[in-house]
């Protein structure tokens, strides 16, 4: 099986959370096919790889075709082919709706990979076709099916020299830093702030670093600074509020603790030891992808709400990641 020179990846759409979850898939795909021209096409909505997350896929994705509206209507099965005049050595369909898969197969191609209907329409399959619960596991199955082997390696995320310099300014070399990301898309996904503060107060030989978004800072920054004068809030000391900066800061941390959140996935992209806290959302589906991870679930302590997770459980999960 020769390596493809051109690859088309189809997604429905990418919001920020979706894009962050898909980063390991993109990195694995580039590692599997380092010389291919990779085109990323969203059919049913926009993609954040066109704008806010574009710097994270420089060199990993070569072309973006946003919101093409391909794969929406039964009439697309008739008439002219989608993307007329173009062809790809390999198409990877990341969704599972039968109609959309059949529409995509009409694009001129050499090989087609899709998990729809248990890989029924696919020219290749992973060794194990059992559907993983985690989205990233499902995407990695597609890379395996396309490459004909498991792909454990990943291509590095791009780095911007100015962003790296800003991260170094905010977190200078020398101290040992532990990251704490108490926010999330909804407060119901947040472990209580007072427990994050207590966790930070108990750190030994480490500087607590709180990673707060603008809305969280408005509510919490003063409380954190009053309780922990030694704590750093680097995102409140910079004008460069971008995911790339959060990831660059993450690489300077010895370990971190985060809720199920975008920041948690950014820290996962930094490939650092990470404790992820889950309550109402499903850890087996949404846990960040990182090489050293610990998952702490509210359900293991008799509840669904985040405040079911005791401080001692998070301290116990964090300690071995700091060794």
């Amino acid at each position: 099986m020769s390596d493809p020179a051109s690859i088309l990846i189809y997604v429905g759409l990418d919001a920020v959370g979706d894009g962050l979850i898909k980063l390991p898939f993109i990195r694995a795909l580039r590692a599997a096919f380092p010389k291919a021209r990779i085109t990323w096409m969203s059919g049913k909505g926009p993609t954040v790889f066109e704008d806010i997350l574009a710097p994270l896929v420089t060199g990993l994705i070569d072309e973006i075709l946003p919101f093409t509206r391909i794969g929406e209507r039964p009439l697309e099965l008739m008439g002219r082919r989608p993307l007329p005049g173009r062809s790809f050595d390999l198409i990877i369909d990341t969704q599972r709706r039968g109609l959309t898969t059949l529409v995509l197969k009409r694009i001129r191609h050499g090989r087609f990979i899709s998990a729809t209907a248990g890989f029924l329409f696919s020219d290749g399959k992973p060794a194990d076709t059992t559907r993983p619960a985690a989205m990233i596991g499902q995407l990695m199955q597609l890379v395996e099916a396309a490459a004909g082997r498991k792909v454990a390696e990943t291509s590095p995320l791009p780095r911007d020299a100015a962003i790296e310099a800003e991260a170094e300014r905010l977190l200078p070399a020398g101290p040992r830093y532990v990251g704490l990301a108490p926010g999330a898309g909804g407060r119901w996904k947040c472990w209580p702030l007072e427990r994050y503060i207590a966790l930070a107060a108990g750190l030994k030989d480490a500087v607590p670093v709180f990673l707060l978004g603008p809305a969280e800072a408005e509510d919490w920054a003063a409380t954190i600074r009053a309780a922990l004068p030694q704590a750093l809030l680097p995102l409140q000391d910079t004008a460069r509020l971008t995911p790339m900066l959060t990831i660059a800061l993450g690489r300077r941390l010895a370990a971190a603790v985060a809720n199920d959140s975008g920041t948690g996935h950014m820290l996962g992209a930094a490939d650092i030891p990470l404790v992820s806290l889950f309550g109402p959302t499903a850890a087996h589906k949404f846990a960040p992808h990182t090489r050293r991870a610990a998952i702490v679930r509210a359900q293991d302590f008799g509840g669904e709400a985040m405040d079911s997770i005791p401080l001692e459980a998070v301290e116990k999960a964090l300690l071995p990641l700091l060794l």
Side-chain angles (χ1 to χ4, degrees):
M1 182 169 54
S2 60
D3 283 351
S6 59
I7 301 174
L8 176 68
I9 309 298
Y10 178 89
V11 298
L13 55 82
D14 300 310
V16 173
D18 303 320
L20 291 168
I21 289 173
K22 291 171 185 174
L23 280 177
F25 162 69
I26 296 168
R27 296 168 67 187
L29 188 70
R30 175 53 75 192
F33 305 111
K35 297 180 180 179
R37 176 177 173 79
I38 296 177
T39 298
W40 190 270
M41 179 171 72
S42 64
K44 301 175 184 179
T47 171
V48 289
F49 295 130
E50 185 187 21
D51 41 57
I52 189 171
L53 296 188
L56 291 176
V57 294
T58 301
L60 301 178
I61 294 174
D62 300 292
E63 179 187 18
I64 304 287
L65 301 178
F67 205 175
T68 59
R69 299 190 180 276
I70 289 173
E72 291 184 328
R73 302 169 301 279
L75 288 176
E76 294 174 74
L77 294 173
M78 300 177 285
R80 72 174 189 171
R81 296 175 183 267
L83 298 182
R86 299 198 62 174
S87 64
F88 300 88
D89 295 327
L90 172 66
I91 295 176
I92 300 180
D93 171 21
T94 68
Q95 59 85 60
R96 293 172 181 260
R97 182 171 176 251
L99 170 64
T100 301
T101 297
L102 292 174
V103 170
L104 293 174
K105 279 186 72 74
R106 300 192 68 225
I107 300 172
R108 295 187 185 278
H109 63 273
R111 296 179 67 235
F112 187 85
I113 300 295
S114 174
T116 297
F119 291 88
L120 177 64
F121 304 101
S122 186
D123 295 325
K125 299 180 180 181
D128 181 359
T129 59
T130 304
R131 183 175 180 175
M135 179 190 295
I136 187 57
Q138 297 170 29
L139 292 170
M140 289 302 190
Q141 275 192 326
L142 298 175
V143 179
E144 179 185 344
R149 59 181 173 84
K150 285 189 177 294
V151 180
E153 70 272 21
T154 59
S155 291
L157 288 175
R159 299 193 185 192
D160 180 279
I163 293 290
E164 297 298 318
E166 180 69 350
E168 184 175 10
R169 181 186 74 81
L170 295 165
L171 298 181
R176 192 184 198 202
Y177 300 109
V178 173
L180 302 158
R187 293 296 165 90
W188 50 278
K189 296 168 67 176
C190 295
W191 196 45
L193 179 63
E194 59 269 20
R195 294 188 199 172
Y196 270 102
I197 290 173
L199 179 67
L203 292 173
K204 296 180 180 179
D205 302 319
V207 177
V209 176
F210 280 81
L211 299 169
L212 303 179
E216 297 153 5
E218 184 176 337
D219 293 338
W220 292 343
T223 300
I224 293 168
R225 286 186 169 122
L228 301 163
Q230 77 277 26
L232 299 179
L233 284 70
L235 295 178
Q236 280 59 65
D237 294 326
T238 182
R240 293 177 177 268
L241 286 177
T242 70
M244 287 194 76
L245 177 60
T246 301
I247 293 170
L249 291 169
R251 285 192 286 261
R252 305 184 73 81
L253 304 174
V257 179
N259 303 317
D260 175 21
S261 64
T263 303
H265 285 286
M266 293 176 208
L267 293 170
D271 289 329
I272 62 169
L274 179 64
V275 179
S276 295
L277 309 182
F278 282 84
T281 52
H284 63 281
K285 290 184 179 180
F286 302 116
H289 185 80
T290 188
R291 282 176 289 182
R292 292 186 65 198
I295 306 297
V296 182
R297 302 166 61 247
Q299 291 81 356
D300 294 332
F301 304 96
E304 293 283 336
M306 293 293 284
D307 61 7
S308 298
I309 300 174
L311 172 62
E312 295 76 16
V314 181
E315 291 175 327
K316 184 178 179 180
L318 178 62
L319 181 60
L321 298 184
L322 289 170
L323 297 178

